[in-house]
Amino acid sequence: MTVHPHPSLQPYADAWTHSIEAISELVLPLAEGEWNRATPCPGWSVRDVVSHIIGIECEQLGDPRPIHTVARDLRHVVDEFSRYMEVQVDVRRHHTAPEMTSELEYTVIRRARQLRNEKRDPDTMVRGPLGDQVTLEQALRLRAFDVWIHEQDLRWALGAPGNWDSPGAYVARDILLAGLPKVVAKRAGAPANSAVVIDVHGQLEFMRTVRVDADGRGTVDKSPSLGPAVTLTLDWETYVRLAAGRVRARTVADRVKVEGDAQLAEAILTQFSVTP
């Protein structure tokens, strides 16, 4: 399907389209039992991830949220954010495979039509994931990011790797990198006037330097650092899984090469997740 919104929205619309179509193709042939496979999202099965995607896209379409109470004993529901997100998931927990695929298909058709007919300015304020107001551009950027990350969750659960360098991967890279200064400067407490280099190889290759200024504020740029306090070298898949909170640092320690201050490196890797 072809989506033609405002030029600044186009990359996000393209990335969203690519990932959501890949998800549809992934889940269409699944047998009933395969919908129950666990994903890297705590407490969520394949069905739950697809339910989440359907639910959020329906909210972007302006559909009312289901009136539904989530049980208090779900271990992965730990705060108001996760409780909010769980409603669209829990309400579909007993849906069959045909119900899931048909609702996904219908939602994708409706959402693609909405994007195709989108005439609003990218700075228009719209409803965000928690009912807060964000710009239309930010909302679509976050949807492109979310569906790509969840596409990877589903691929992991189903043993069907792929699309690590698709349009959504580039959107994800930029969003995950934007969280790095906070990880390094604030959470890991990198010292003032220091630099940390992240060197990523594999399907997406890039090198970034996080610089901490005299006041302890972090920024990220593309220029190399001559004497970094820490250099972390890792593959793109491991970077995504760490930054998206899908794995803990100790479980992928063999996939991360650390140079420099080992204590600071450990603090950075422990705090690496930038998604809620």
Side-chain angles (χ1 to χ4, degrees):
M1 57 191 166
T2 308
V3 178
H4 293 300
H6 188 281
S8 71
L9 301 179
Q10 192 66 52
Y12 306 127
D14 290 346
W16 175 88
T17 302
H18 190 280
S19 291
I20 207 118
E21 288 184 343
I23 288 168
S24 295
E25 288 172 21
L26 272 174
V27 301
L28 188 60
L30 296 184
E32 196 68 54
E34 291 177 294
W35 286 86
N36 299 321
R37 285 195 188 179
T39 72
C41 294
W44 280 7
S45 64
V46 167
R47 178 186 284 99
D48 297 338
V49 169
V50 176
S51 295
H52 165 73
I53 293 165
I54 292 170
I56 299 298
E57 297 301 342
C58 285
E59 290 182 28
Q60 294 295 298
L61 283 158
D63 295 357
R65 274 173 59 80
I67 298 170
H68 180 78
T69 304
V70 175
R72 287 275 162 192
D73 59 352
L74 295 176
R75 261 196 289 178
H76 60 281
V77 178
V78 294
D79 52 23
E80 280 311 303
F81 180 82
S82 53
R83 184 164 296 282
Y84 182 97
M85 288 300 178
E86 196 69 19
V87 170
Q88 295 279 13
V89 172
D90 199 52
V91 81
R92 294 174 172 83
R93 281 237 153 84
H94 301 294
H95 287 198
T96 63
E99 286 173 326
M100 292 299 300
T101 52
S102 61
E103 189 183 11
L104 177 62
E105 184 182 11
Y106 180 55
T107 304
V108 171
I109 289 168
R110 289 175 65 211
R111 192 81 161 95
R113 185 186 299 132
Q114 181 190 37
L115 290 174
R116 198 163 49 241
N117 297 328
E118 186 60 78
K119 300 291 191 288
R120 291 174 295 178
D121 187 89
D123 291 329
T124 304
M125 299 306 286
V126 298
R127 178 196 172 115
L130 275 171
D132 49 350
Q133 294 288 299
V134 296
T135 65
L136 176 61
E137 184 170 353
Q138 178 69 351
L140 188 51
R141 185 174 182 239
L142 289 172
R143 292 313 309 133
F145 169 70
D146 195 52
V147 293
W148 183 80
I149 289 286
H150 287 311
E151 177 196 341
Q152 293 306 328
D153 289 331
L154 294 169
R155 289 184 176 282
W156 183 90
L158 299 168
N163 284 350
W164 282 104
D165 58 352
S166 67
Y170 289 87
V171 176
R173 177 196 64 185
D174 293 344
I175 286 180
L176 295 175
L177 281 171
L180 258 184
K182 185 177 180 181
V183 167
V184 172
K186 295 287 184 283
R187 293 192 196 156
N193 301 312
S194 66
V196 171
V197 172
I198 310 288
D199 187 1
V200 177
H201 56 88
Q203 300 93 331
L204 251 63
E205 296 195 346
F206 54 91
M207 185 184 287
R208 295 291 187 275
T209 302
V210 179
R211 300 177 197 279
V212 183
D213 67 15
D215 298 319
R217 284 191 297 264
T219 54
V220 61
D221 62 54
K222 296 180 181 179
S223 56
S225 169
L226 295 177
V230 170
T231 299
L232 299 175
T233 305
L234 65 166
D235 63 275
W236 169 232
E237 185 177 334
T238 303
Y239 182 95
V240 170
R241 296 206 189 290
L242 279 169
R246 295 323 194 242
V247 292
R248 294 188 187 279
R250 64 176 179 270
T251 64
V252 291
D254 60 324
R255 300 185 68 162
V256 183
K257 181 185 175 188
V258 175
E259 295 171 85
D261 184 333
Q263 199 172 349
L264 177 57
E266 185 181 359
I268 293 167
L269 289 168
T270 303
Q271 300 288 336
F272 211 74
S273 173
V274 295
T275 58

